[in-house]
Amino acid sequence: MMTRLSKGKWGIAIAALPFAALLPASTSLAETSVLAPANTALPAPPANGEMGFIVTHFAPAIYQGEQDCPDGAAASLRETYLQTVPASERIRLLDKANEQELTTRWQGYAVGPNGINICTHPDQFSRPPQRTVKGGVAQGLNLDGDEGAGDGTETCGHDNFTSPEGAAGVDNQMWRAMGCMRSWRGVDGLGGDIVHGLTQFMISGEHTQVLLLRGVDSLVNDPEVEVVYANSEDRAIIDPKQNFIPGASYTVVDNPRHRNVLRGRIVNGVLTTTRTDIRLRQTWGQGSERDIRGQRTEWDLRRGMLSLAFQPDGSLKGLAGGYQPIWNVIASASIGGVGAATVAGYDCAAMYATLKQMADGDRDPKTRQCTTISSGLAMTAIPAFINDTVPGTQVASQ
Amino acid sequence: MTVFVPKRPRLARVVGAVAVILGLASCAVDKAPQTATAEASFSLLGEPLGEIVALRRLTEDQYRNSIADIFGPDIKVAGRFEPIVRPAHELISTGAAASTISPAGLEQFDSMGRNIAAQVMSEPNRLQFMSCVPRDAAAPDPACAAKMLVPIGRYLFRRPLTEGEVASYVKMAGDAVANNGSFHGGLELALGAMLVSPQFLYVIESAEPDPDHAGGLRLDSYSRASRLSFLLWNTTPNEALLQAAASKRLMDDAGLAEMAQRMVQSSRLEDGVRAFFADMLLFEKFAEMAKDQIVYPRFNPDVAAALPEQMLRMIVDHLVTQKGDYRDLFTSRRTFINRALGPLYQVKVSASQGWVPYEFAPGDERSGLLGQAGFLALYSHSGRSSPTLRGRAIRELLLCQPVPNPPGNVNFTAVQDVNSKLMPTARMRLDAHNSDPVCAACHKITDPLGLPLEKFDGIGASRPNENGALINTYGMFEGADFLGNVGLGKAMASSPSTTECVAGRAFQYATGRAPDEEGSTTTAIEQNFATQGYRIQALFLRVATMPEAYRIAPTPPKESVVAMAARNSSTMGLYP
Amino acid sequence: MSLILDRRTALRGAVQGMAVAIGLPLLDIFLDGNGQAMAATGAPVPVRFGTWFWGLGVNPPRWFPNKIGADYDLKEELSPIAPLKHKINILGDFSLPLDGKPNLPHTSGGVGIRTGMAIASDRGLPAPSFDVLIGDVIGTRTRFRSLEVSATGDPRNSLSGRGNGNLNPAEVSPAALYARIFGTGFRDPNSATFTPDPAVLARRSVLSGVNEQRQALEARLGASDRQRLDQYFTSLRQLEKQLDVELTKPDPMLGCVVPGTVPDRPINAEIENVMENHKIMTDLLVMALACDNTRVFNMNFNNGASSLTRIGSTITHHQLTHEEVLDNRLGYQPEATFFVNKCMEAWVYFIQAMDAVKEGDGTLLDNSLVFAHSETEFAKFHTIDNIPMMTAGAAGGRLRTGLHVAGGGTPVSRVGLTLQQIMGVPVDRWGAESLETNMPIRELLV
C-alpha cells in the first residue's frame, strides 16, 4: 500500500524543497520594488561616511501580473507525465481506482537509465520546457544596458520586461523561465516557497550577507561610494519573532572570494553599483555530512549590480541582479535529487530545458548557446555594525 | 565522551602515595598543585571539636566550587539547590547563617551526593582518589576504606575527621558490601553519606576560649581556614589553608594576616568578589527577570544571560584586575560587551565570540555601574522603566538605606498609563501620583535617584525621548543637584554613604552578622578603606583579618536586622 | 464503576470481540482518605511518565488557543480534547534555536525537544532523550524500564534513546506487544511474594549512620542552632521513611487486569488500520501501566515525515503537506489537515483510555504525566519554533493542568527541564548552547 521508499530518501526529498513564502500580501510587492524615497528627507550620513547593513532578504523578485500565465501554472511532474499518454489512457489513470498505478508511473518518469533522475541530471533528459511568463511586467534591472532584444556576440536574444514603475529594458529571463512555477510565483501576493526558504536560511544563519558602505557624504546624491558586499560567519541576531535586530555586529569573512568590493554612486536616494562579478556563499540548508544535503553552492552573479534605495527608517530596499549560471537557478532541486521530483513534484528536466532556452548571457563561442541567465533578486537590508577585517584597499576579483 | 581539562587542580587526588609538601613559603598558594602530604591527609583530629557558634549552609556556588576543587571539574553536580532565603535588606550570606534544610531540599542534596559519589567511584575516576587496592573487591576492607575516606573526609568537612567519624564511615562502607557485594560500591555509599552529612552541607564555625577576653570565645583554627577560604575565594579551604590551620598559624594575628594577604593578591579573589557583589546586588533576581516581548522584541534569552555577566565582569575588572577605587565604579566608562548585547547598546562589537572590553566615549551617558543595562533592566517593570524601583535599589543596595514598602491601597492608575498623551514621561506621571502626600513621602526618597536614569528604557537601552516628549533627567542627592546618569554617578562616587555601605556589607558578608550597633567596627573598616584608597583588596583583607570578626561575644549575637536598620534610618533622616 | 465499564467495553472492542472478564470488586477499603496513598503502607501510588508523538504538526491558527492561561478556548483542530481539557495543558510559543546548525526537516524539531540539543547531522540522537533520564529515576524497579510503541509499522519511529545514535526501537505489532507484556515474565503486582531491593536496603542503613552523628553534633550546640539542626534531622528522618516505604510490600494494583490475547493484524501506514492498531496497543500499554510492569512509555502515533496514507490514495500525509497548495481562502491545506484531525482523534483515545482506569479516587491519567508533541509547527514550511505540545495528567498532583502556556519565544528545552524536575530528576540546568536553560515553566509547577 505504501510507496516503498527508504527513510533516507524521504529525507533527501524534503531537503530539496525550498520552503514557501508567507510575505504579507500588502508588503511583498512593495519590498521588491525600487522605491526612490519621494519627499521624505533622508538623514545625513555618519561623519566618518561608513554605514553597515545586514541583509535580511535576498530572493527572486516576485511580480504577479494577471496575464503572466494564461495557460495556468507550470505543470507538476504528475501532470507532465499525464500529457505523455493518450487521452483515453489518461482518463483511465485518473480513475481513483488506478491511483496507485498512476503514482508508480509518474514517479517512474522521474528516473532514467542507470538510475539517473531528472533532478540530479536534468541535462541528460530530453523533455519539453515548462510554461513560461507571458506578461510584460516584472521586477529586475537593466543588466545589458540595452532596451532592445539584446542579441549579440556575448548575449542571446530575449524579451525585456518593463518594471512595475515603468522602467524599460528589465532583464530577468530567470523570472521568464521560472515565474509560472507555483513554488516560485506563489499566490495572492504571497511569494512562493523559494522566497520563504531563502529568507529562512538567512534567519537561521546558514549564510549571512552584509554590506559596508564607505565614503558616503550624502544619502541623496554622492558620485563615489565604495560598497563592500560580503558574507559573514556570524549568525543573524534575531528576536523571538524571527525578525532581524538592527544594530547587531557582524565580521566580514576572511575569504576574499566572498568579499566583493563594488563601486557605486547615489542618485536621488538610490545607491547603484557598477557591473562587477559578485560571488557570495550560499547554502541550500538542511545539510548534514552524510548525504548530499547541505551542499554549499555560491551566488554567482556575473556582471552583477545592486540598486538599493535608502529608506527613511534607515533600511535599504531594492534589487540585485546579474547573470547566473543556469545550474545555479535549480541548485536546490538538483541537490534534492529524486525526492524533489517524487515528493515535491518538480519536473527538473523541464525546468532545465526552459532555463537553457531562456538563457541570455555568456554565449559559448563554440556552441553559440548562452550559459547564464539574467536574474532579478529582491533585497532588503537593515543597519548593522560591520567589522571589515580585510584591508580596505583590496579590490574584488574581476 | 568529553574529557575535560581540569582548570583547577583537584585537592583529593592521590599521586602515588607520596606527595609533595607544599610549604607556606610558596608564593603562589593557589597555583601549585594541591597534593596532600601523606602525613596531613591521613592524620585525625587530635583535639575535641569546639562549641559550635555558627552554622552557615553552603551556597550553590560554594557547593559547586568545593566539589570542583576536591574532585576536579569533570565531576558533574546535577540537581536543584534549595534556595537560601534572603532576610529583608540583608545578604544571602546572613540568610545562610539561619538557613535550615527542608525534606525536599535534603532529598535533592542526597540525590546530588549519591550522584557525585558514583562519579568519583566509577572506573577509571576512582584510581585518582585511591592509594590502595582492596584485598577482595567483593569484601569489606576497613584499612583500604579508611585510606580513601580519611583524606577525602578532611577536605569535605574542612578539618581532619575524628576517630569516631572514621569508624562510622568505614563501618558504613563495610556494611554496605553485605547488600551490594562490592567494596567500591560500599565506599560509594559512605562517600555519598559524607556529602549529605551536615558536616559538609553546613560550614560549621566552632570556637574556643579566647585567652585575651575572659569569658569570651574566638573562632578556632579550622573555622578560620574556612572563613578565609569562603570569604576570599568562595570555595573550600585548600591544602595550604588546612595545614596552616593544623599548625595553628591562623590563631595569631600575624599568621592570619600573612595568609589573608597572599589570598587577596591571588587572581582567585575574583571568585570571592563576584560572589560578594552578586549577593549585595541581589543577582538572584536575574533568574526571574521577564520582559514583555511585544514592548521589547530585542530582549531575548542571550541578552538576559549576558546582563548579569556584564556587570560582574565590569566590577571584577575595575576592582580586582585594575585594582581601582571603589568610588570610580560609579563613573568608569570601561565595561565588557558581547555580540548579544551589541544591539541593546547599539555599539559595534569587535569580536564574533566571547566578551571584549569596551570603553564608552567621554561624555557618553552610559557610564558607571548604574549605566549598565543589567542594573537598569533588573530594576524596571516588564514593559516599562521604573524610576522608583531604580531609586529604591540605589538607596537600599548601594547606600544601605532601606525604603519603606508602599501602603497596600495605592492607586497606580496614573503611573501605569505609559501611553498617556497628557503625561508622556514617567516624571509627569509620578508627579501626578505624588499629589497624594502619603505617596510623596517615599517617592521623595527614591525618585530623585531614579529619574536621572530615565534616558534608559525598561531593558536598559538608550532612548532619546519617551512618547515623543523630551526627558528631563534632573536629579538630586544629598543636597546637590545634577543631570542624568553621569551626574548621578559622580554624586554616588562622592558620597560617604556609598563607601560606608560597601564596607558594612563586606563585614556582614564575612561574618554573617551585622556590624555592632555603636558603629565603631564599621567606622574602623571605613577609615581603613579610605586610607587604602578604597581598594577592594584592602577592604576584603581588613574584614578577613580584623580580630572583631573572629571574636564571639559571651552571649549569643542577636539577629542582625535591627542593627543595620537602626543605623540606616538615622542616615535616612537627613532627607526630607 | 461506570469508568471501569467503559474501560471494559473499549478493551473488548480492541481485541475484536474476545471479551475480557474485568470483574474485580473495587477494594476502596485499601485506600486512605485522600486517595493518593494506600492505607496499609502509606506508599504513594506510582507516578508514570510517557510521551505521545505525532508527526507533521498542525495548522497553528486552527489549533493554538487564543487565550493564555486557564479556561483556554478550543479551536477547530483542538476541539476533540474538550472532554479532558481540564487535565490537559497546551504549550506553545517556545523556540528551538539551532545555533547555525541545519534544520534537518522532521528530525531537528523532535530531537531538539527530547534532547535539548540542536542536532548537527542525521545520525540519531546526539544525547539522551529526557524520557530516558526520567526512566532512570522512576523506571528502575519495574519489569520494563520503558516501553516504546509505534503505530505506523516502523520500529525506527522512536525519539527515545541514550544518545550517540542509540535508539530504543519501537514495538510495531499489537500481537508482539501483547506477548512482550503479558507473556512469559509478566510480573503480577498482586502476587504474594515480595523481595526488597538490596540497593535500597544499603542506602537505608547508610542514612542511619548519618543520623547516628546527631549526638556528637548536638553536644557542641547552643539552643538556636540546635533548633536548625533538629530540622535537618527531621528532614533526614523523612528521607529514611521514604526508603522504608520502598522496602515494604506494595499494595495491590486494583486497575490491573490481564487482557486476552491479541490476534495478528496487518501492519502498515494506512490511516484506518493505524487507528485500529493504535487503539489496541494503547489498551495494552495502559494495562502494562496499571499492572506496574512499566512506569515509562513512548507511544509514536505516526512518524516525523508521516507516511500515513488513505485508502484509495498513495499520496502520503507528508507529500500532501508539501504538494497541496495552501488554500489562501481557507488558510490551510484541507487534504493534509484530514491527517492532523486523525492524529488528534488518536491522542484523545489514548488519554481517555488512561483516564478510564481508576486509581484511588483519581485515575491512572491523574497519576501520570503524558507529554504529547510533534516535530514541526507547520509542516509545509518545516518551521520548528512554536511546535505544538501538550501535557495530560497531573503527575499525582505535581503538575497544574488546564492551562495554555505561552513560552514567549523562550527555548523549548524549558519544557524538558520542567518535566524532568516534576518527575524527580535531579537537574537544574538542561540543554546545550542556546537551548541551555535553568528556567523551569513555573506556571506548571504545583
Side-chain angles (χ1 to χ4, degrees):
Chain A
M1 272 201 104
M2 294 167 56
T3 43
R4 292 290 172 194
L5 279 176
S6 74
K7 192 178 167 151
K9 281 187 179 154
W10 282 115
I12 292 168
I14 300 322
L17 298 181
F19 312 105
L22 262 183
L23 301 175
S26 57
T27 61
S28 64
L29 298 182
E31 273 183 357
T32 53
S33 317
V34 177
L35 293 177
N39 296 319
T40 323
L42 291 168
N48 67 0
E50 274 198 17
M51 300 177 77
F53 297 87
I54 167 80
V55 176
T56 55
H57 178 83
F58 191 80
I62 306 297
Y63 180 85
Q64 293 166 353
E66 277 182 26
Q67 301 304 315
D68 282 354
C69 309
D71 302 322
S76 70
L77 186 61
R78 183 173 178 271
E79 291 158 356
T80 312
Y81 170 73
L82 282 168
Q83 292 308 313
T84 66
V85 300
S88 56
E89 175 73 347
R90 192 179 310 147
I91 290 163
R92 187 187 70 81
L93 285 171
L94 283 171
D95 187 337
K96 263 288 177 198
N98 300 317
E99 171 99 22
Q100 190 169 357
E101 183 190 350
L102 171 59
T103 303
T104 311
R105 286 193 179 200
W106 76 254
Q107 292 189 342
Y109 192 55
V111 184
N114 304 320
I116 61 165
N117 68 75
I118 56 166
C119 285
T120 311
H121 299 96
D123 54 332
Q124 296 183 30
F125 290 77
S126 178
R127 298 270 171 93
Q130 62 186 11
R131 290 174 192 136
T132 57
V133 173
K134 305 295 182 198
V137 178
Q139 309 267 4
L141 299 168
N142 185 347
L143 296 172
D144 58 6
D146 183 359
E147 292 178 13
D151 208 355
T153 49
E154 296 288 317
T155 57
C156 297
H158 55 274
D159 288 337
N160 285 333
F161 286 108
T162 302
S163 80
E165 294 78 30
V170 167
D171 297 305
N172 194 351
Q173 286 292 90
M174 174 179 78
W175 181 249
R176 186 73 76 193
M178 309 296 274
C180 283
M181 287 178 66
R182 290 186 186 92
S183 59
W184 277 59
R185 181 171 195 80
V187 281
D188 297 354
L190 306 178
D193 294 3
I194 195 156
V195 178
H196 185 275
L198 287 168
T199 306
Q200 196 60 43
F201 296 155
M202 295 193 132
I203 290 169
S204 71
E206 296 209 28
H207 58 261
T208 300
Q209 295 182 10
V210 297
L211 284 165
L212 178 61
L213 276 44
R214 287 209 182 92
V216 183
D217 304 315
S218 156
L219 298 193
V220 182
N221 289 294
D222 187 332
E224 178 82 52
V225 174
E226 183 189 75
V227 179
V228 176
Y229 184 22
N231 288 117
S232 168
E233 297 290 350
D234 297 331
R235 290 201 303 278
I237 293 189
I238 53 168
D239 71 20
K241 299 287 177 214
Q242 302 215 315
N243 296 306
F244 285 78
I245 298 179
S249 298
Y250 299 85
T251 300
V252 167
V253 283
D254 291 335
N255 181 359
R257 180 182 173 90
H258 294 146
R259 179 180 179 277
N260 305 278
V261 182
L262 315 175
R263 305 180 82 81
R265 63 182 200 282
I266 300 170
V267 177
N268 199 21
V270 178
L271 168 71
T272 307
T273 62
T274 53
R275 294 180 186 85
T276 311
D277 289 353
I278 295 172
R279 283 176 184 275
L280 290 165
R281 206 182 77 182
Q282 149 79 316
T283 312
W284 284 105
Q286 334 295 347
S288 71
E289 305 91 336
R290 188 179 56 186
D291 55 31
I292 57 173
R293 289 189 263 168
Q295 283 197 359
R296 295 200 185 288
T297 54
E298 271 188 333
W299 285 109
D300 180 359
L301 301 172
R302 308 214 181 140
R303 298 179 300 290
M305 60 184 287
L306 307 176
S307 177
L308 301 166
F310 291 98
Q311 303 298 311
D313 67 359
S315 65
L316 285 172
K317 279 183 184 171
L319 295 164
Y323 291 87
Q324 296 193 78
I326 58 174
W327 272 100
N328 288 18
V329 178
I330 53 167
S332 167
S334 295
I335 290 169
V338 72
T342 56
V343 177
Y346 287 175
D347 186 347
C348 298
M351 288 155 68
Y352 181 82
T354 316
L355 287 164
K356 202 172 154 186
Q357 194 178 64
M358 295 289 157
D360 58 343
D362 295 281
R363 192 192 281 274
D364 183 324
K366 286 182 194 151
T367 64
R368 305 295 294 154
Q369 163 71 40
C370 273
T371 58
T372 63
I373 192 162
S374 58
S375 305
L377 298 151
M379 182 171 179
T380 60
I382 60 166
F385 294 103
I386 306 302
N387 297 301
D388 188 10
T389 49
V390 183
T393 51
Q394 183 167 342
V395 181
S397 52
Q398 294 296 312
Chain B
M1 196 176 146
T2 318
V3 179
F4 290 89
V5 180
K7 274 188 297 185
R8 296 171 160 182
R10 70 193 71 202
L11 293 176
R13 180 172 45 194
V14 175
V15 180
V18 190
V20 183
I21 294 178
L22 181 80
L24 277 174
S26 160
C27 57
V29 240
D30 54 325
K31 292 200 181 83
Q34 303 296 333
T35 18
T37 66
E39 311 87 81
S41 295
F42 294 109
S43 65
L44 299 183
L45 198 65
E47 63 217 66
L49 288 158
E51 180 182 338
I52 295 173
V53 292
L55 286 168
R56 304 172 74 177
R57 213 209 78 192
L58 285 184
T59 65
E60 177 171 347
D61 283 345
Q62 289 169 351
Y63 186 108
R64 290 182 184 281
N65 291 346
S66 297
I67 297 300
D69 281 356
I70 294 171
F71 299 114
D74 48 338
I75 300 295
K76 279 171 65 183
V77 177
R80 272 178 296 159
F81 287 79
E82 180 170 21
I84 296 174
V85 178
R86 174 189 291 278
H89 305 306
E90 287 193 46
L91 299 174
I92 283 180
S93 64
T94 47
S99 175
T100 61
I101 297 177
S102 71
L106 192 67
E107 199 181 327
Q108 286 290 323
F109 278 127
D110 176 54
S111 149
M112 276 189 274
R114 285 188 288 123
N115 190 288
I116 291 165
Q119 294 177 63
V120 170
M121 289 310 300
S122 70
E123 273 188 294
N125 280 357
R126 64 180 181 230
L127 297 176
Q128 300 176 70
F129 306 105
M130 295 187 67
S131 60
C132 57
V133 178
R135 286 164 311 188
D136 176 354
D141 182 342
C144 186
K147 266 194 169 167
M148 168 153 192
L149 293 173
V150 167
I152 286 183
R154 172 168 167 267
Y155 287 124
L156 289 174
F157 293 180
R158 310 160 200 107
R159 57 163 174 78
L161 302 184
T162 63
E163 251 176 65
E165 285 167 340
V166 176
S168 164
Y169 286 107
V170 167
K171 182 169 180 299
M172 277 183 216
D175 288 353
V177 179
N179 280 315
N180 63 23
S182 154
F183 169 80
H184 295 108
L187 273 183
E188 180 182 323
L189 277 162
L191 183 55
M194 282 182 171
L195 287 162
V196 78
S197 148
Q199 310 276 5
F200 173 67
L201 297 178
Y202 284 102
V203 180
I204 298 181
E205 292 195 332
S206 53
E208 59 185 33
D210 184 349
D212 300 332
H213 294 80
L217 296 171
R218 60 177 191 178
L219 279 200
D220 65 25
S221 198
Y222 283 104
S223 302
R224 287 172 185 237
S226 287
R227 171 73 67 85
L228 288 181
S229 191
F230 285 111
L231 166 64
L232 299 176
W233 292 356
N234 206 37
T235 189
T236 200
N238 65 7
E239 185 58 35
L241 271 165
L242 290 176
Q243 289 193 28
S247 68
K248 305 278 179 194
R249 260 173 296 178
L250 303 177
M251 294 311 293
D252 72 74
D253 293 352
L256 184 75
E258 187 195 5
M259 179 56 87
Q261 179 74 43
R262 214 176 283 133
M263 291 178 73
V264 160
Q265 294 308 324
S266 156
S267 65
R268 288 195 77 176
L269 182 67
E270 283 185 14
D271 291 340
V273 170
R274 267 179 172 256
F276 170 65
F277 280 99
D279 191 347
M280 175 168 158
L281 299 176
L282 273 57
F283 268 34
E284 71 271 18
K285 289 179 61 152
F286 273 110
E288 281 148 30
M289 182 170 71
K291 295 295 172 189
D292 189 311
Q293 292 294 326
I294 293 163
V295 183
Y296 301 117
R298 277 186 290 179
F299 190 85
N300 62 29
D302 293 338
V303 172
L307 290 176
E309 181 62 20
Q310 182 187 37
M311 290 177 76
L312 288 175
R313 279 178 185 262
M314 185 222 183
I315 290 168
V316 165
D317 178 65
H318 178 75
L319 296 179
V320 181
T321 313
Q322 312 290 331
K323 297 186 163 54
D325 184 319
Y326 177 72
R327 298 171 300 178
D328 296 342
L329 194 57
F330 296 91
T331 55
S332 169
R333 286 181 283 106
R334 284 174 55 96
T335 187
F336 289 79
I337 200 156
N338 66 4
R339 262 193 93 220
L341 288 179
L344 194 158
Y345 283 88
Q346 288 288 307
V347 300
K348 187 194 269 195
V349 180
S350 61
S352 294
Q353 305 284 328
W355 291 86
V356 283
Y358 189 86
E359 185 159 349
F360 291 101
D364 196 302
E365 184 65 3
R366 193 73 85 160
S367 68
L369 189 62
L370 302 180
Q372 306 292 296
F375 176 84
L376 296 159
L378 190 57
Y379 297 102
S380 289
H381 298 291
S382 73
R384 61 187 161 99
S385 71
S386 171
T388 307
L389 289 180
R390 287 172 182 173
R392 181 174 185 169
I394 293 168
R395 286 280 180 197
E396 296 190 332
L397 308 183
L398 294 165
L399 300 167
C400 298
Q401 299 165 354
V403 175
N405 285 321
N409 57 348
V410 183
N411 178 354
F412 286 112
T413 321
V415 236
Q416 284 167 347
D417 185 9
V418 289
N419 299 317
S420 168
K421 293 270 187 303
L422 280 174
M423 297 180 286
T425 70
R427 184 183 294 269
M428 294 174 192
R429 295 189 294 272
L430 281 165
D431 281 347
H433 174 71
N434 290 335
S435 57
D436 181 341
V438 178
C439 298
C442 288
H443 282 279
K444 272 183 195 164
I445 300 168
T446 55
D447 299 0
L449 294 183
L451 285 166
L453 300 172
E454 271 299 282
K455 283 201 171 171
F456 301 107
D457 69 15
I459 57 169
S462 289
R463 57 175 172 190
N465 56 51
E466 185 177 8
N467 292 322
L470 287 177
I471 296 169
N472 173 359
T473 61
Y474 171 81
M476 190 179 191
F477 179 51
E478 295 184 341
D481 47 12
F482 52 84
L483 285 178
N485 172 46
V486 173
L488 175 63
K490 285 181 185 156
M492 292 289 292
S494 52
S495 166
S497 303
T498 304
T499 50
E500 256 173 46
C501 178
V502 74
R505 288 295 197 220
F507 180 85
Q508 197 178 354
Y509 182 75
T511 61
R513 49 181 217 258
D516 53 56
E517 289 189 33
E518 311 87 75
S520 62
T521 309
T522 320
T523 311
I525 303 170
E526 157 70 15
Q527 277 170 1
N528 176 265
F529 194 24
T531 53
Q532 300 289 322
Y534 296 107
R535 305 283 181 250
I536 201 78
Q537 287 87 351
L539 177 61
F540 270 55
L541 184 62
R542 178 76 181 181
V543 297
T545 55
M546 57 196 299
E548 298 93 313
Y550 292 92
R551 219 174 273 152
I552 314 297
T555 48
K558 284 182 192 150
E559 286 304 312
S560 53
V561 190
V562 187
M564 290 296 286
R567 187 172 64 83
N568 291 326
S569 56
S570 63
T571 322
M572 295 283 283
L574 290 174
Y575 304 98
Chain C
M1 285 304 280
S2 64
L3 286 175
I4 291 291
L5 287 174
D6 287 349
R7 189 78 223 90
R8 180 191 298 168
T9 317
L11 252 184
R12 185 181 291 134
V15 297
Q16 297 188 327
M18 294 194 211
V20 182
I22 311 181
L24 276 184
L26 262 184
L27 301 175
D28 273 325
I29 195 164
F30 282 99
L31 301 175
D32 71 7
N34 61 22
Q36 292 300 307
M38 304 284 186
T41 58
V45 173
V47 177
R48 290 77 157 197
F49 176 82
T51 66
W52 195 92
F53 174 83
W54 84 97
L56 295 183
V58 295
N59 294 300
R62 303 180 80 234
W63 193 87
F64 282 102
N66 287 337
K67 185 167 184 277
I68 310 287
D71 296 323
Y72 54 84
D73 51 309
L74 290 178
K75 304 261 185 71
E76 180 90 21
E77 284 173 22
L78 198 52
S79 60
I81 72 160
L84 285 173
K85 194 185 105 171
H86 59 294
K87 298 190 178 188
I88 294 177
N89 294 316
I90 307 298
L91 312 175
D93 200 17
F94 288 91
S95 67
L96 210 169
L98 296 175
D99 292 317
K101 298 193 185 72
N103 177 359
L104 300 175
H106 313 297
T107 301
S108 294
V111 170
I113 288 175
R114 289 292 191 89
T115 64
M117 285 179 74
I119 189 170
S121 64
D122 218 344
R123 294 181 192 195
L125 296 175
S129 57
F130 74 78
D131 55 284
V132 165
L133 302 175
I134 289 172
D136 287 346
V137 175
I138 67 165
T140 54
R141 300 190 59 229
T142 48
R143 177 166 158 239
F144 300 107
R145 193 173 269 245
S146 68
L147 285 173
E148 280 68 43
V149 181
S150 163
T152 40
D154 179 1
R156 287 189 53 80
N157 179 18
S158 168
L159 282 170
S160 172
R162 294 223 168 259
N164 293 324
N166 157 298
L167 202 66
N168 294 329
E171 188 59 69
V172 296
S173 149
L177 181 65
Y178 178 88
R180 196 160 157 220
I181 299 171
F182 298 104
T184 322
F186 173 68
R187 201 178 284 172
D188 184 350
N190 302 327
S191 77
T193 54
F194 171 72
T195 317
D197 184 342
V200 179
L201 272 173
R203 276 183 61 206
R204 178 67 183 81
S205 98
V206 159
L207 288 184
S208 304
V210 177
N211 213 345
E212 281 160 18
Q213 298 168 12
R214 180 175 190 163
Q215 239 180 341
L217 262 173
E218 280 184 346
R220 300 162 57 203
L221 276 173
S224 70
D225 283 331
R226 178 185 304 255
Q227 206 178 359
R228 289 171 55 214
L229 211 61
D230 278 350
Q231 290 184 34
Y232 169 90
F233 284 106
T234 306
S235 299
L236 189 68
R237 182 78 200 105
Q238 192 70 33
L239 211 55
E240 291 178 298
K241 272 189 194 160
Q242 285 176 24
L243 296 185
D244 289 342
V245 167
E246 288 188 45
L247 294 170
T248 314
K249 178 173 159 38
D251 290 305
M253 308 288 294
L254 303 178
C256 172
V257 181
V258 178
T261 54
V262 172
D264 279 329
R265 286 185 43 81
I267 298 163
N268 58 40
E270 189 275 307
I271 183 67
E272 295 309 330
N273 190 57
V274 168
M275 294 296 280
E276 189 59 27
N277 281 347
H278 172 260
K279 271 187 188 176
I280 297 172
M281 294 202 280
T282 293
D283 294 336
L284 295 173
L285 191 56
V286 164
M287 270 306 132
L289 295 166
C291 298
D292 205 27
N293 273 238
T294 189
R295 294 181 185 176
V296 181
F297 65 85
N298 293 288
M299 169 62 92
N300 301 281
F301 179 69
N302 59 337
N303 40 343
S306 169
S307 45
L308 291 175
T309 57
R310 287 168 88 163
I311 292 172
S313 167
T314 52
I315 301 185
T316 65
H317 180 195
H318 180 208
Q319 274 173 292
L320 277 171
T321 63
H322 291 300
E323 260 186 35
E324 190 182 2
V325 174
L326 185 65
D327 186 320
N328 276 330
R329 277 150 296 277
L330 287 175
Y332 63 96
Q333 302 158 291
E335 292 289 313
T337 301
F338 165 83
F339 290 105
V340 176
N341 294 336
K342 282 290 180 186
C343 292
M344 290 303 109
E345 187 185 324
W347 161 241
V348 171
Y349 180 86
F350 188 87
I351 50 177
Q352 280 183 330
M354 288 187 71
D355 203 44
V357 176
K358 204 170 185 310
E359 280 189 344
D361 63 0
T363 68
L364 173 62
L365 182 63
D366 297 333
N367 291 319
S368 303
L369 200 178
V370 189
F371 173 55
H373 70 100
S374 193
E375 79 344 314
T376 40
E377 176 207 28
F378 184 45
K380 185 169 182 64
F381 303 152
H382 292 160
T383 46
I384 55 168
D385 287 331
N386 192 35
I387 292 176
M389 298 176 286
M390 292 176 268
T391 67
R398 304 183 207 171
L399 176 77
R400 285 186 205 283
T401 59
L403 302 173
H404 172 209
V405 176
T410 53
V412 73
S413 45
R414 293 181 64 203
V415 175
L417 177 71
T418 308
L419 300 190
Q420 287 179 70
Q421 291 186 348
I422 287 172
M423 296 312 297
V425 179
V427 57
D428 61 332
R429 187 174 280 281
W430 187 67
E433 295 185 70
S434 294
L435 280 168
E436 183 176 332
T437 181
N438 64 350
M439 307 251 297
I441 304 166
R442 295 191 190 283
E443 296 97 306
L444 294 181
L445 303 175
V446 172

